[in-house]
Amino acid sequence: MAKKNQSIVVGWDEWVSLPELGLYAIKAKIDTGAQTSSLHAINIEAYEKGGVQRVRYLVHPLPERPDVEIQCDSQVVDVRNIISSNGESEERYIVRTPFRIDGQEWPVELSLTNREDMQYRMLVGRSTMSGRIVVDPDQSMLCGELSPALYDEIIKEHTGDQRLKMAILSREPENYSTQRLVDAAVSRGHSVDVINTTRCYMNITSDKPDIHYQGVSLPAYDAIIPRVGASITFYGMAIVRQFEMMGTYSLNNAEAIGQSRDKLFAHQLLAREGIGMPVTGFAHSPSDIRDMLKSVGKAPLVLKLLEGTQGRGVVLAETQKAAESVIQAFRGLKANILVQEFIAESKGADVRCVVIGNKVVAAMKRQAEEGEFRSNLHQGGTASKVKISPAERAAAVRAAKALGLRFAGVDLLRSNDGPKVLEVNSSPGLEGVENVTGLNIASQVIEYIEQGVKRRKAAAPRRKAAKKA
Ligand code: ADP
Ligand code: MG
């Protein structure tokens, strides 16, 4: 108490907290060279509520613990141009929140900026010190440590009342995405089984739906994450449907998975919602093919097998004649293909947006190899970070919604007239996008499922009542 009006002597780095934001322990750099304090935030998203501008953002307070993610929400008090340490000017949101160090607390202003590569997640500038802090630049950590264990308790509190029984439907238990989802589920306090979809079997005539696996009846899972490969879409959908009949929450439902797999159907659904996509044509009879090609446009044209993935089954026909003969050849094999205008200006690049719920949580650009137009990583494409525009963000969210997918990878081409949706993937891989962005997407998926299960449980009594009425 005697401390109250005395300045606090601090070193050049200290543990501090922003208690109102739920950021109980952050290692901050004390920087007398900076005017405004800054907090490193990602997924910064401005919105308006009751005429007040607010901002949502995600903070990883501990650089070495990416699983600790705190979702914050603040009123925006200003938007300012801030010159960062590398001399670049950036427009940033300014928020106000209580700041605590060495037992003392006062309100401060912080700018929000996305720089995950920074060693310190917070920079304390002169305006925060406001005569209360004196810096001894030769010292470090004079105010003692705040334990990061605080966050573990918060995570536990989060899930304590809601330990879920989850299953991941995947034929590849060792796969990166499967492993990441397992780890994320476990670290959020849930139990999780990995189940090989093709080894599930069921008796659909019984009045009590269930699923058998390796000779036993599967337990009643709260939630499943279907990672159904393209080659088993049909069977995978049946299994997901059966889980749904048992009352299990499925991250993506069977119908949505099915319609996203069928490129023709998916494009029809996107078109119905007025979502931008390349001009696309489809014909059945050989005698109509020439006319259909004409309606799509001039060569070069892109031809696609309806159910191809990973760039296999996608070819570029340089001339009208080539397009016709490729179509004839495919038709001879009883394969269905669609024809698309070639978006040349995207120069072999596309943008993968990962959508969870109604948000794009991550994006990456994929660039095709030299001399190749398909940017698929399986075709030698390389991934890099990308900033997407509001139009691209909106197109991705609308596309996922049009197909009914809660979790999706939406691929866009950047064309001269805005984003064009190429396809919507119902089990997007996590490896490329997590590596490129450094984000913990697996954990965000699990968090989304927690909310989904909770919402459903809350709605269940009402649903039952409605049924009875
Ligand atoms: P797949 O399901 O096999 O990945 P896509 O439709 O996504 O099939 O096509 C594969 C890749 O080919 C895309 O990622 C993109 O780089 C390129 N591509 C596909 N369609 C077009 C198009 N109409 N114009 C330009 N490039 C295209
Ligand atoms: Mg693709």
Side-chain angles (χ1 to χ4, degrees), residues 263 304 309-311 340-341 343 350 373 375-376 422-423:
K263 281 187 203 256
K304 297 184 188 182
T309 56
Q310 305 181 341
Q340 239 169 29
E341 74 173 307
I343 309 293
D350 72 354
F373 79 105
S375 58
N376 302 70
L422 261 193
E423 79 174 322

Side-chain angles (χ1 to χ4, degrees), residues 309-328:
T309 56
Q310 305 181 341
R312 287 178 303 225
V314 177
V315 289
L316 185 62
E318 302 278 358
T319 64
Q320 209 82 9
K321 267 262 146 309
E324 276 175 41
S325 41
V326 173
I327 293 176
Q328 265 157 20

Side-chain angles (χ1 to χ4, degrees), residues 125-360:
R126 293 192 302 278
S127 64
T128 294
M129 300 176 194
S130 65
R132 298 173 188 250
I133 292 180
V134 176
V135 187
D136 180 347
D138 296 327
Q139 303 281 339
S140 164
M141 299 292 176
L142 291 178
C143 303
E145 194 182 341
L146 293 176
S147 170
L150 283 170
Y151 292 111
D152 290 328
E153 271 159 42
I154 298 164
I155 292 175
K156 222 192 267 157
E157 239 170 61
H158 236 68
T159 53
D161 59 330
Q162 208 207 357
R163 272 203 57 168
L164 301 180
K165 222 174 165 47
M166 298 189 179
I168 299 173
L169 302 187
S170 168
R171 287 197 293 173
E172 297 174 323
E174 304 301 327
N175 166 287
Y176 175 94
S177 303
T178 313
Q179 281 302 317
R180 291 280 302 135
L181 290 164
V182 168
D183 290 348
V186 169
S187 77
R188 293 186 67 87
H190 308 299
S191 77
V192 57
D193 294 334
V194 179
I195 290 174
N196 180 339
T197 326
T198 54
R199 300 297 305 277
C200 292
Y201 53 99
M202 58 209 166
N203 175 348
I204 52 170
T205 50
S206 73
D207 53 354
K208 187 177 163 293
D210 71 346
I211 297 177
H212 295 267
Y213 189 67
Q214 297 175 339
V216 292
S217 219
L218 284 176
Y221 290 108
D222 298 298
I224 53 165
I225 303 177
R227 308 279 304 173
V228 174
S231 59
I232 58 153
T233 301
F234 175 76
Y235 197 68
M237 278 173 65
I239 297 294
V240 171
R241 227 180 280 125
Q242 188 80 356
F243 274 112
E244 289 175 321
M245 273 159 60
M246 291 162 67
T248 301
Y249 171 91
S250 180
L251 178 56
N252 281 329
N253 65 39
E255 195 189 355
I257 296 169
Q259 56 203 22
S260 69
R261 277 288 152 67
D262 176 340
K263 281 187 203 256
L264 180 60
F265 191 13
H267 276 101
Q268 288 175 319
L269 291 169
L270 295 175
R272 192 173 71 185
E273 298 298 322
I275 295 164
M277 59 181 184
V279 177
T280 303
F282 183 76
H284 181 75
S285 163
S287 47
D288 297 326
I289 282 170
R290 190 163 292 173
D291 205 38
M292 184 271 285
L293 284 177
K294 229 188 269 157
S295 78
V296 172
K298 288 208 164 61
L301 292 165
V302 178
L303 310 177
K304 297 184 188 182
L305 274 177
L306 275 199
E307 289 178 8
T309 56
Q310 305 181 341
R312 287 178 303 225
V314 177
V315 289
L316 185 62
E318 302 278 358
T319 64
Q320 209 82 9
K321 267 262 146 309
E324 276 175 41
S325 41
V326 173
I327 293 176
Q328 265 157 20
F330 274 131
R331 295 288 306 146
L333 297 168
K334 296 261 179 294
N336 282 315
I337 63 170
L338 55 78
V339 180
Q340 239 169 29
E341 74 173 307
F342 176 54
I343 309 293
E345 63 266 30
S346 67
K347 298 199 179 71
D350 72 354
V351 175
R352 158 61 61 97
C353 301
V354 177
V355 177
I356 302 179
N358 48 19
K359 264 206 308 223
V360 174

